[in-house]
Each structure stands twice: as C-alpha cells, then as structure tokens.
Coordinates of all heavy atoms in Angstrom, one line a residue:
M21 N 122.5 144.9 73.6 CA 123.3 145.5 74.7 C 122.6 146.8 75.2 O 122.3 146.8 76.4 CB 124.6 145.7 74.2 CG 125.6 146.2 75.3 SD 125.9 144.8 76.5 CE 126.8 145.7 77.6
R22 N 122.3 147.6 74.4 CA 121.6 148.9 74.8 C 120.3 148.6 75.6 O 120.0 149.1 76.6 CB 121.2 149.7 73.6 CG 120.5 150.9 73.8 CD 121.4 152.0 74.6 NE 120.5 153.1 75.2 CZ 120.0 154.1 74.6 NH1 120.5 154.3 73.3 NH2 119.4 155.0 75.1
G23 N 119.5 147.6 75.0 CA 118.3 147.2 75.6 C 118.5 146.8 77.1 O 117.7 147.1 78.0
S24 N 119.4 145.9 77.3 CA 119.6 145.3 78.6 C 120.1 146.4 79.6 O 119.7 146.3 80.7 CB 120.7 144.2 78.5 OG 122.0 144.7 78.2
I25 N 120.8 147.3 79.2 CA 121.2 148.4 80.0 C 120.0 149.2 80.4 O 119.8 149.5 81.5 CB 122.3 149.3 79.4 CG1 123.6 148.6 79.2 CG2 122.5 150.6 80.2 CD1 124.6 149.2 78.3
D26 N 119.2 149.5 79.4 CA 117.9 150.3 79.7 C 117.1 149.5 80.8 O 116.5 150.1 81.6 CB 117.2 150.6 78.4 CG 117.8 151.6 77.6 OD1 118.8 152.3 78.1 OD2 117.5 151.8 76.4
M27 N 117.0 148.3 80.5 CA 116.1 147.4 81.4 C 116.6 147.5 82.8 O 115.8 147.7 83.7 CB 116.1 146.0 80.9 CG 115.3 145.8 79.6 SD 113.5 145.7 79.9 CE 113.4 144.1 80.6
S28 N 117.9 147.3 83.0 CA 118.5 147.3 84.3 C 118.3 148.7 85.0 O 118.4 148.7 86.2 CB 119.9 146.9 84.2 OG 120.8 147.9 83.7
M29 N 118.2 149.7 84.3 CA 118.1 151.0 84.9 C 116.7 151.5 84.9 O 116.5 152.7 85.3 CB 119.0 152.1 84.1 CG 120.5 151.6 84.1 SD 121.4 152.7 83.1 CE 121.8 154.0 84.2
A30 N 115.8 150.7 84.5 CA 114.4 151.2 84.3 C 113.6 151.5 85.5 O 112.8 152.4 85.5 CB 113.6 150.1 83.5
A31 N 114.0 151.0 86.7 CA 113.2 151.1 87.8 C 113.4 152.4 88.5 O 114.6 152.8 88.7 CB 113.4 150.0 88.8
A32 N 112.4 153.2 88.6 CA 112.5 154.5 89.3 C 112.6 154.3 90.8 O 112.1 153.3 91.3 CB 111.2 155.4 89.0
P33 N 113.4 155.2 91.4 CA 113.6 155.0 92.9 C 112.2 155.1 93.6 O 111.2 155.6 93.2 CB 114.3 156.3 93.3 CG 115.0 156.7 92.0 CD 114.1 156.3 90.9
K34 N 112.2 154.3 94.7 CA 111.0 154.2 95.5 C 110.5 155.6 95.9 O 111.3 156.4 96.3 CB 111.2 153.4 96.7 CG 110.0 152.6 97.3 CD 110.4 151.7 98.4 CE 109.2 150.9 98.9 NZ 109.6 149.9 99.9
G35 N 109.3 155.8 95.8 CA 108.7 157.2 96.1 C 108.7 158.2 95.1 O 108.2 159.4 95.3
T36 N 109.4 157.8 93.9 CA 109.4 158.8 92.8 C 108.0 158.9 92.2 O 107.5 157.9 91.8 CB 110.4 158.3 91.8 OG1 111.7 158.3 92.4 CG2 110.4 159.4 90.6
D37 N 107.5 160.1 92.1 CA 106.2 160.3 91.5 C 106.4 160.8 90.0 O 106.4 162.0 89.7 CB 105.5 161.4 92.4 CG 103.9 161.5 91.9 OD1 103.7 161.0 90.8 OD2 103.2 162.1 92.6
L38 N 106.4 159.8 89.2 CA 106.7 160.1 87.8 C 105.6 160.9 87.2 O 105.8 161.8 86.4 CB 106.8 158.8 87.0 CG 108.3 158.1 87.2 CD1 108.3 156.8 86.6 CD2 109.3 158.9 86.5
A39 N 104.3 160.7 87.6 CA 103.2 161.5 87.1 C 103.4 162.9 87.4 O 103.1 163.8 86.7 CB 101.9 160.9 87.6
A40 N 103.8 163.1 88.7 CA 104.0 164.5 89.1 C 105.2 165.1 88.3 O 105.1 166.3 88.0 CB 104.2 164.5 90.6
I41 N 106.3 164.4 88.1 CA 107.4 164.9 87.4 C 107.0 165.2 86.0 O 107.4 166.2 85.4 CB 108.6 163.9 87.5 CG1 109.1 163.7 88.8 CG2 109.7 164.3 86.5 CD1 110.0 162.6 89.0
R42 N 106.2 164.4 85.4 CA 105.7 164.6 84.0 C 104.9 165.8 83.9 O 105.1 166.6 83.0 CB 105.0 163.4 83.5 CG 104.3 163.6 82.2 CD 103.1 162.5 82.0 NE 103.7 161.2 81.6 CZ 103.9 160.9 80.3 NH1 103.6 161.8 79.4 NH2 104.4 159.8 80.0
A43 N 104.0 166.0 84.9 CA 103.1 167.2 84.9 C 103.9 168.4 85.1 O 103.7 169.5 84.5 CB 102.1 167.0 86.0
F44 N 105.0 168.4 86.0 CA 105.8 169.5 86.3 C 106.5 169.9 85.0 O 106.6 171.1 84.7 CB 106.9 169.2 87.4 CG 108.1 170.1 87.4 CD1 107.9 171.4 87.9 CD2 109.3 169.7 86.9 CE1 109.0 172.2 88.0 CE2 110.4 170.6 86.9 CZ 110.2 171.8 87.4
L45 N 107.1 169.0 84.3 CA 107.9 169.3 83.1 C 107.0 169.9 81.9 O 107.3 170.8 81.3 CB 108.6 168.0 82.5 CG 109.8 167.6 83.5 CD1 110.3 166.2 83.0 CD2 110.9 168.6 83.4
L46 N 105.7 169.3 81.8 CA 104.9 169.8 80.8 C 104.4 171.2 81.2 O 104.0 171.9 80.3 CB 103.6 168.8 80.7 CG 103.9 167.6 79.9 CD1 102.8 166.6 80.1 CD2 104.0 167.9 78.4
A47 N 104.4 171.6 82.5 CA 103.9 172.8 82.8 C 105.0 173.9 82.7 O 104.7 175.1 82.9 CB 103.4 172.8 84.3
R48 N 106.3 173.5 82.5 CA 107.3 174.5 82.4 C 107.0 175.4 81.2 O 106.6 174.9 80.1 CB 108.6 173.8 82.2 CG 109.0 173.1 83.5 CD 109.5 173.9 84.6 NE 110.7 174.7 84.3 CZ 110.8 176.0 84.7 NH1 109.9 176.6 85.4 NH2 112.0 176.6 84.4
P49 N 107.3 176.7 81.3 CA 107.0 177.6 80.2 C 107.7 177.2 78.8 O 108.9 176.9 78.8 CB 107.5 179.0 80.6 CG 108.4 178.7 81.8 CD 107.9 177.3 82.4
G50 N 106.9 177.1 77.8 CA 107.5 176.9 76.5 C 107.6 175.4 76.1 O 107.9 175.1 75.0
V51 N 107.2 174.5 77.1 CA 107.3 173.1 76.8 C 106.0 172.7 76.2 O 104.9 172.7 76.8 CB 107.6 172.3 78.0 CG1 107.5 170.8 77.7 CG2 108.9 172.6 78.6
S52 N 105.9 172.1 75.0 CA 104.7 171.7 74.4 C 104.5 170.2 74.5 O 103.4 169.7 74.5 CB 104.7 172.1 72.9 OG 105.7 171.4 72.2
A53 N 105.5 169.4 74.7 CA 105.4 168.0 74.9 C 106.7 167.5 75.5 O 107.7 168.1 75.5 CB 105.1 167.3 73.5
I54 N 106.6 166.3 76.1 CA 107.9 165.6 76.6 C 107.8 164.3 76.1 O 106.8 163.6 75.9 CB 108.0 165.7 78.1 CG1 107.0 164.9 78.8 CG2 108.0 167.2 78.6 CD1 107.3 164.6 80.3
H55 N 109.0 163.6 76.0 CA 109.1 162.1 75.8 C 110.4 161.6 76.3 O 111.3 162.4 76.7 CB 108.8 161.7 74.4 CG 109.6 162.4 73.4 ND1 109.3 163.6 72.7 CD2 110.8 162.1 72.9 CE1 110.2 163.9 71.9 NE2 111.2 163.1 72.0
D56 N 110.5 160.3 76.4 CA 111.7 159.6 76.8 C 112.1 160.0 78.2 O 113.2 160.2 78.5 CB 112.8 159.9 75.8 CG 113.6 158.7 75.6 OD1 113.3 157.6 76.1 OD2 114.7 158.8 75.0
L57 N 111.1 160.1 79.0 CA 111.3 160.5 80.5 C 111.9 159.3 81.1 O 111.2 158.2 81.2 CB 110.1 161.0 81.1 CG 110.2 161.2 82.7 CD1 111.2 162.3 83.0 CD2 108.8 161.5 83.2
H58 N 113.0 159.4 81.8 CA 113.6 158.3 82.6 C 114.1 158.9 83.9 O 114.7 159.9 83.9 CB 114.8 157.6 81.9 CG 114.4 156.9 80.6 ND1 113.8 155.7 80.6 CD2 114.3 157.4 79.3 CE1 113.6 155.4 79.3 NE2 113.9 156.4 78.5
V59 N 113.8 158.1 85.0 CA 114.3 158.5 86.3 C 114.8 157.2 86.9 O 114.2 156.2 86.9 CB 113.1 159.0 87.2 CG1 113.7 159.4 88.5 CG2 112.5 160.2 86.6
W60 N 116.1 157.3 87.5 CA 116.6 156.1 88.0 C 117.6 156.4 89.1 O 118.3 157.5 89.1 CB 117.3 155.2 86.9 CG 118.6 155.8 86.3 CD1 119.9 155.5 86.7 CD2 118.7 156.7 85.3 NE1 120.7 156.1 86.0 CE2 120.1 156.9 85.1 CE3 117.8 157.5 84.5 CZ2 120.6 157.8 84.2 CZ3 118.3 158.3 83.6 CH2 119.7 158.4 83.4
P61 N 117.9 155.5 90.0 CA 118.8 155.8 91.1 C 120.2 155.5 90.6 O 120.5 154.6 89.9 CB 118.5 154.7 92.2 CG 117.8 153.6 91.4 CD 117.2 154.2 90.1
I62 N 121.2 156.4 91.0 CA 122.6 156.2 90.6 C 123.4 155.9 91.9 O 124.5 155.5 91.8 CB 123.1 157.4 89.9 CG1 123.0 158.7 90.7 CG2 122.6 157.6 88.4 CD1 123.6 159.9 90.0
S63 N 122.8 156.0 93.0 CA 123.4 155.5 94.2 C 122.2 155.4 95.3 O 121.1 155.7 95.0 CB 124.4 156.5 94.8 OG 123.9 157.6 95.5
T64 N 122.5 155.2 96.5 CA 121.4 155.0 97.4 C 120.8 156.3 97.8 O 119.7 156.4 98.3 CB 121.9 154.3 98.8 OG1 123.1 155.1 99.2 CG2 122.3 152.9 98.5
T65 N 121.5 157.4 97.5 CA 121.0 158.7 97.8 C 120.8 159.6 96.6 O 120.4 160.7 96.8 CB 122.0 159.4 98.8 OG1 123.3 159.5 98.3 CG2 122.0 158.7 100.1
E66 N 121.3 159.3 95.5 CA 121.3 160.1 94.4 C 120.4 159.6 93.2 O 120.4 158.4 93.0 CB 122.6 160.3 93.8 CG 123.7 160.9 94.8 CD 123.4 162.5 94.9 OE1 122.9 163.1 93.9 OE2 123.9 163.0 95.9
T67 N 119.6 160.5 92.6 CA 118.7 160.1 91.6 C 119.0 160.9 90.3 O 119.3 162.1 90.4 CB 117.3 160.4 92.0 OG1 117.0 159.6 93.2 CG2 116.3 160.0 90.9
A68 N 118.9 160.3 89.2 CA 119.1 161.0 87.9 C 117.9 160.9 87.1 O 117.0 160.1 87.2 CB 120.3 160.3 87.1
L69 N 117.8 161.9 86.2 CA 116.7 162.1 85.3 C 117.1 162.5 84.0 O 118.0 163.4 83.8 CB 115.7 163.2 85.9 CG 114.5 163.5 85.0 CD1 113.3 163.9 85.8 CD2 114.8 164.6 84.0
T70 N 116.6 161.9 82.9 CA 116.8 162.4 81.5 C 115.4 162.5 80.9 O 114.5 161.8 81.2 CB 117.6 161.5 80.7 OG1 116.9 160.2 80.5 CG2 119.1 161.3 81.3
C71 N 115.3 163.6 80.1 CA 114.0 163.7 79.4 C 114.2 164.6 78.1 O 115.1 165.4 78.1 CB 113.0 164.5 80.3 SG 111.3 164.5 79.7
H72 N 113.4 164.3 77.1 CA 113.4 165.2 75.9 C 112.2 166.2 76.1 O 111.2 165.8 76.4 CB 113.2 164.4 74.7 CG 114.2 163.4 74.4 ND1 114.3 162.7 73.2 CD2 115.2 162.9 75.2 CE1 115.4 161.8 73.3 NE2 115.9 162.0 74.5
L73 N 112.5 167.5 76.0 CA 111.5 168.5 76.0 C 111.3 169.1 74.6 O 112.2 169.5 73.9 CB 111.9 169.6 76.9 CG 112.4 169.3 78.5 CD1 112.8 170.5 79.1 CD2 111.2 168.6 79.1
V74 N 110.0 169.0 74.2 CA 109.7 169.6 72.8 C 109.4 171.1 73.1 O 108.5 171.5 73.8 CB 108.6 169.0 72.1 CG1 108.3 169.7 70.9 CG2 109.0 167.5 71.9
M75 N 110.4 172.0 72.7 CA 110.2 173.5 72.9 C 110.4 174.2 71.6 O 111.5 174.5 71.1 CB 111.2 173.9 73.9 CG 111.1 173.2 75.3 SD 112.3 173.7 76.5 CE 111.6 175.4 76.8
P76 N 109.2 174.5 70.9 CA 109.3 175.2 69.6 C 110.1 176.5 69.6 O 110.7 176.8 68.5 CB 107.8 175.4 69.2 CG 107.1 174.3 70.0 CD 107.9 174.2 71.3
T77 N 110.1 177.2 70.7 CA 110.8 178.4 70.8 C 112.2 178.3 71.4 O 112.9 179.2 71.8 CB 110.0 179.5 71.6 OG1 109.7 178.9 72.9 CG2 108.7 179.8 70.9
R78 N 112.6 177.1 71.6 CA 113.9 176.7 72.2 C 114.0 177.1 73.6 O 113.1 177.6 74.2 CB 115.0 177.4 71.3 CG 115.0 177.0 70.0 CD 116.1 177.6 69.1 NE 115.9 177.4 67.7 CZ 116.4 176.3 67.1 NH1 117.0 175.3 67.8 NH2 116.2 176.1 65.8
A79 N 115.2 176.7 74.3 CA 115.3 177.0 75.7 C 116.7 177.7 75.8 O 117.7 177.4 75.1 CB 115.4 175.7 76.4
D80 N 116.8 178.5 76.9 CA 118.1 179.2 77.1 C 118.7 178.5 78.4 O 118.0 177.7 79.0 CB 118.0 180.7 77.3 CG 117.1 181.1 78.4 OD1 116.6 180.2 79.3 OD2 116.6 182.3 78.3
D81 N 119.9 178.9 78.7 CA 120.6 178.2 79.8 C 119.9 178.4 81.1 O 119.7 177.6 82.0 CB 122.0 178.8 80.0 CG 122.9 178.3 78.9 OD1 122.4 177.6 78.1 OD2 124.2 178.7 78.9
A82 N 119.3 179.7 81.3 CA 118.6 179.9 82.6 C 117.4 179.0 82.8 O 117.1 178.6 83.8 CB 118.1 181.4 82.6
F83 N 116.7 178.7 81.6 CA 115.6 177.8 81.7 C 116.0 176.5 82.1 O 115.4 175.8 83.0 CB 114.9 177.7 80.4 CG 113.8 176.6 80.3 CD1 112.5 176.9 80.6 CD2 114.1 175.3 79.9 CE1 111.5 175.8 80.6 CE2 113.2 174.3 79.8 CZ 111.9 174.6 80.3
L84 N 117.0 175.9 81.6 CA 117.6 174.6 81.9 C 118.0 174.5 83.3 O 117.8 173.5 84.0 CB 118.7 174.2 80.9 CG 118.3 174.1 79.4 CD1 119.5 173.9 78.6 CD2 117.3 172.9 79.2
M85 N 118.7 175.6 83.8 CA 119.3 175.5 85.1 C 118.2 175.6 86.1 O 118.2 175.0 87.2 CB 120.2 176.7 85.4 CG 121.6 176.3 84.6 SD 122.7 177.7 84.9 CE 123.4 177.8 83.3
Q86 N 117.1 176.4 85.8 CA 116.0 176.7 86.8 C 115.2 175.3 86.8 O 114.8 174.9 87.9 CB 115.2 177.8 86.3 CG 114.1 178.1 87.3 CD 113.2 179.3 86.8 OE1 112.9 179.4 85.6 NE2 112.8 180.1 87.8
T87 N 115.1 174.7 85.7 CA 114.3 173.4 85.7 C 115.1 172.3 86.5 O 114.4 171.6 87.3 CB 114.1 172.9 84.2 OG1 113.4 173.9 83.5 CG2 113.3 171.7 84.2
A88 N 116.3 172.3 86.3 CA 117.2 171.3 87.1 C 117.1 171.6 88.6 O 117.0 170.8 89.4 CB 118.6 171.4 86.6
Q89 N 117.0 172.9 88.9 CA 117.0 173.3 90.3 C 115.8 173.0 90.9 O 115.6 172.4 92.1 CB 117.3 174.8 90.5 CG 117.5 175.3 91.8 CD 118.6 174.7 92.7 OE1 119.6 174.4 92.1 NE2 118.4 174.3 93.9
L90 N 114.6 173.1 90.2 CA 113.3 172.9 90.7 C 113.1 171.4 90.8 O 112.5 170.8 91.7 CB 112.2 173.4 89.8 CG 112.1 175.0 89.8 CD1 111.2 175.5 88.6 CD2 111.4 175.4 91.1
L91 N 113.7 170.6 89.9 CA 113.6 169.1 90.1 C 114.4 168.7 91.3 O 114.0 167.7 92.0 CB 114.3 168.5 88.8 CG 113.3 168.4 87.6 CD1 114.1 168.1 86.3 CD2 112.2 167.5 87.7
K92 N 115.4 169.4 91.7 CA 116.2 169.1 92.9 C 115.4 169.4 94.1 O 115.3 168.6 95.0 CB 117.5 169.8 92.9 CG 118.5 169.4 94.0 CD 119.8 170.2 93.9 CE 120.7 169.5 92.9 NZ 122.0 170.0 92.9
T93 N 114.9 170.6 94.1 CA 114.1 171.0 95.4 C 112.7 170.3 95.5 O 112.3 170.0 96.6 CB 114.0 172.5 95.4 OG1 113.3 172.9 94.3 CG2 115.3 173.2 95.5
S94 N 112.1 170.1 94.4 CA 110.7 169.5 94.5 C 110.7 168.0 94.5 O 109.8 167.4 95.1 CB 109.9 170.0 93.3 OG 109.8 171.4 93.3
F95 N 111.7 167.4 93.8 CA 111.6 166.0 93.7 C 112.9 165.3 94.0 O 113.0 164.0 93.9 CB 111.3 165.6 92.1 CG 110.0 166.1 91.7 CD1 110.0 167.3 90.9 CD2 108.9 165.4 91.9 CE1 108.8 167.8 90.4 CE2 107.6 166.0 91.5 CZ 107.6 167.1 90.6
R96 N 113.9 166.0 94.6 CA 115.2 165.4 95.1 C 115.9 164.7 94.0 O 116.4 163.6 94.3 CB 114.9 164.5 96.3 CG 114.3 165.3 97.5 CD 114.4 164.5 98.8 NE 113.6 163.2 98.6 CZ 113.6 162.3 99.6 NH1 114.3 162.5 100.7 NH2 113.0 161.2 99.4
I97 N 115.8 165.2 92.7 CA 116.6 164.6 91.7 C 117.8 165.6 91.5 O 117.7 166.7 91.0 CB 115.7 164.6 90.4 CG1 114.6 163.5 90.7 CG2 116.6 164.2 89.2 CD1 113.5 163.6 89.6
G98 N 119.0 165.0 91.8 CA 120.1 165.8 91.8 C 120.9 165.9 90.5 O 121.8 166.7 90.4
H99 N 120.6 164.9 89.5 CA 121.3 164.9 88.3 C 120.4 164.9 87.1 O 119.7 163.8 86.8 CB 122.2 163.7 88.3 CG 123.2 163.7 89.4 ND1 124.5 164.3 89.3 CD2 123.2 163.2 90.6 CE1 125.1 164.1 90.4 NE2 124.3 163.5 91.3
T100 N 120.1 166.0 86.5 CA 119.1 166.2 85.5 C 119.8 166.4 84.1 O 120.8 167.2 84.0 CB 118.2 167.3 85.7 OG1 117.4 166.9 86.9 CG2 117.3 167.6 84.6
T101 N 119.5 165.7 83.2 CA 119.9 165.9 81.7 C 118.7 166.1 80.8 O 117.8 165.2 80.8 CB 120.8 164.7 81.2 OG1 121.9 164.5 82.1 CG2 121.3 165.1 79.8
L102 N 118.6 167.2 80.2 CA 117.5 167.5 79.3 C 117.9 167.7 78.0 O 118.9 168.5 77.7 CB 116.8 168.9 79.9 CG 116.2 168.8 81.3 CD1 115.8 170.1 81.8 CD2 115.1 167.8 81.4
Q103 N 117.1 167.1 77.0 CA 117.4 167.3 75.6 C 116.2 168.2 75.0 O 115.1 167.8 75.2 CB 117.5 165.9 74.9 CG 117.6 166.0 73.4 CD 117.9 164.7 72.8 OE1 118.7 164.0 73.3 NE2 117.1 164.4 71.7
V104 N 116.6 169.3 74.4 CA 115.6 170.1 73.9 C 115.5 169.9 72.4 O 116.5 169.9 71.6 CB 116.0 171.7 74.1 CG1 115.0 172.6 73.5 CG2 116.0 171.9 75.6
E105 N 114.2 169.7 71.9 CA 113.9 169.6 70.5 C 112.9 170.6 70.2 O 112.1 171.0 71.0 CB 113.4 168.2 70.3 CG 114.4 167.0 70.7 CD 113.7 165.7 70.8 OE1 112.6 165.5 70.3 OE2 114.4 164.8 71.2
T106 N 112.9 171.0 69.0 CA 112.0 172.1 68.6 C 110.8 171.7 67.8 O 109.9 172.4 67.7 CB 112.8 173.2 67.8 OG1 113.4 172.6 66.6 CG2 113.9 173.8 68.6
H107 N 110.9 170.5 67.2 CA 109.8 170.0 66.4 C 109.2 168.8 66.9 O 109.9 167.8 67.1 CB 110.2 169.9 64.9 CG 109.1 169.9 63.9 ND1 108.2 168.9 63.9 CD2 108.7 170.8 63.0 CE1 107.3 169.3 63.0 NE2 107.6 170.4 62.5
P108 N 107.8 168.8 67.1 CA 107.2 167.6 67.7 C 107.1 166.3 66.8 O 107.0 165.3 67.2 CB 105.8 168.1 68.0 CG 105.6 169.2 67.1 CD 106.9 169.9 66.9
D109 N 107.3 166.6 65.5 CA 107.2 165.5 64.5 C 108.5 165.2 63.9 O 108.7 164.9 62.7 CB 106.2 165.8 63.4 CG 104.8 166.0 64.0 OD1 104.5 165.3 65.0 OD2 104.2 166.9 63.6
N110 N 109.6 165.2 64.7 CA 110.9 164.9 64.2 C 111.2 163.4 64.2 O 112.4 163.1 63.9 CB 112.0 165.8 65.0 CG 112.0 165.4 66.5 OD1 111.4 164.4 66.9 ND2 112.8 166.0 67.2
G111 N 110.3 162.6 64.7 CA 110.6 161.2 64.6 C 111.1 160.7 65.9 O 111.0 159.5 66.2
C112 N 111.6 161.5 66.8 CA 112.2 161.1 68.1 C 111.1 160.5 69.0 O 111.4 159.7 69.8 CB 112.9 162.3 68.7 SG 113.8 161.8 70.2
A113 N 109.9 161.1 69.0 CA 108.9 160.6 69.8 C 108.4 159.2 69.6 O 107.7 158.6 70.4 CB 107.6 161.5 69.7
L114 N 109.0 158.6 68.6 CA 108.6 157.2 68.3 C 109.6 156.3 69.1 O 109.4 155.1 69.1 CB 108.9 156.9 66.8 CG 108.0 157.6 65.9 CD1 108.3 157.3 64.4 CD2 106.5 157.3 66.2
A115 N 110.5 156.9 69.8 CA 111.4 156.2 70.7 C 110.6 155.6 71.8 O 109.5 156.0 72.2 CB 112.5 157.1 71.3
P116 N 111.2 154.6 72.5 CA 110.5 154.0 73.7 C 110.0 155.1 74.6 O 110.7 156.0 75.0 CB 111.5 153.0 74.2 CG 112.4 152.7 73.2 CD 112.5 153.9 72.3
D117 N 108.8 154.9 75.1 CA 108.2 155.9 75.9 C 108.7 155.8 77.4 O 109.5 155.0 77.7 CB 106.7 155.8 75.9 CG 106.0 157.1 76.3 OD1 106.7 158.1 76.5 OD2 104.7 157.0 76.5
D118 N 108.1 156.6 78.2 CA 108.5 156.8 79.5 C 108.5 155.6 80.3 O 107.8 154.7 80.1 CB 107.6 157.8 80.3 CG 107.2 159.0 79.4 OD1 107.9 159.1 78.4 OD2 106.4 159.7 79.8
V119 N 109.4 155.5 81.3 CA 109.4 154.5 82.3 C 108.5 154.9 83.4 O 108.7 155.9 84.1 CB 110.8 154.2 83.0 CG1 110.7 153.2 84.0 CG2 111.8 153.8 81.8
V120 N 107.3 154.3 83.4 CA 106.3 154.7 84.4 C 105.9 153.4 85.2 O 105.8 152.4 84.7 CB 105.0 155.3 83.8 CG1 104.0 155.6 84.8 CG2 105.4 156.5 83.0
Ligands
ZN201 ZN1 113.3 163.2 71.6

C-alpha cells in the first residue's frame, strides 16, 4: 500500500529542477548530507517537497523557515517539510533514494 502511494506521487512537476534543489539543500549552512528528497504536485498550482537533512549541529526554527522561504521564492515550492537528523549513519539513509 505504502509503495503504491509513493509510486503515484513520484513524478516531480514539470520544470522542477531536482538537481538544483538538491544542490541548494546541500549548500544550506550546517547540512552535511540529504536523502529521501521528494517533490510532487499537490494541485495544478501547488508543489510539495519533503527531504531529510543531516545536520550534525541541528537546526533551529529560523533555519527551517528560511529554507522553506527560499524554496518558495527560488523553486516555487509552497509546501516544504524537512526532517532533521543529526547522524549520517543512523540507518535512515538506506531508505529509498531521491525521486529524480
Ligand atoms: Zn532520513
């Protein structure tokens, strides 16, 4: 069931530059790695993003809000959900990789 839902939502909106989004997230201060990046349309005009950020020094609210705001202005992604993890070897990175 979970798999079929993921499959149906797997397609990124046309024009979405996942490589650029990945590069942007990796370039954010404090981010050492990312995984489980997903971008998908939630309506004809709205796009959602989820991603895990590995941040050994953790993240504060300002970082999360600024990142979401930049995703909105730079990539027109209006709904961002970020999961912060502090250890790169916590096993989570074994989850299915990015939708690219
Ligand atoms: Zn993770």
Side-chain angles (χ1 to χ4, degrees):
M21 188 60 187
R22 175 70 196 277
S24 63
I25 292 172
D26 285 347
M27 288 281 283
S28 68
M29 301 173 88
K34 208 172 180 179
T36 299
D37 189 343
L38 281 167
I41 293 169
R42 173 197 282 271
F44 162 77
L45 290 169
L46 281 169
R48 295 289 293 145
V51 175
S52 65
I54 70 168
H55 54 267
D56 218 8
L57 171 63
H58 296 277
V59 180
W60 72 96
I62 55 176
S63 76
T64 53
T65 57
E66 299 283 338
T67 301
L69 175 151
T70 63
C71 189
H72 298 190
L73 306 179
V74 178
M75 301 183 69
T77 56
R78 302 180 187 276
D80 58 18
D81 288 1
F83 171 89
L84 295 172
M85 287 179 222
Q86 188 180 38
T87 302
Q89 185 62 39
L90 287 167
L91 284 166
K92 184 177 281 186
T93 55
S94 300
F95 299 101
R96 296 192 304 174
I97 293 169
H99 301 270
T100 291
T101 304
L102 300 171
Q103 173 170 317
V104 176
E105 300 167 10
T106 57
H107 202 289
D109 296 324
N110 61 8
C112 185
L114 299 175
D117 202 8
D118 315 353
V119 176
V120 177

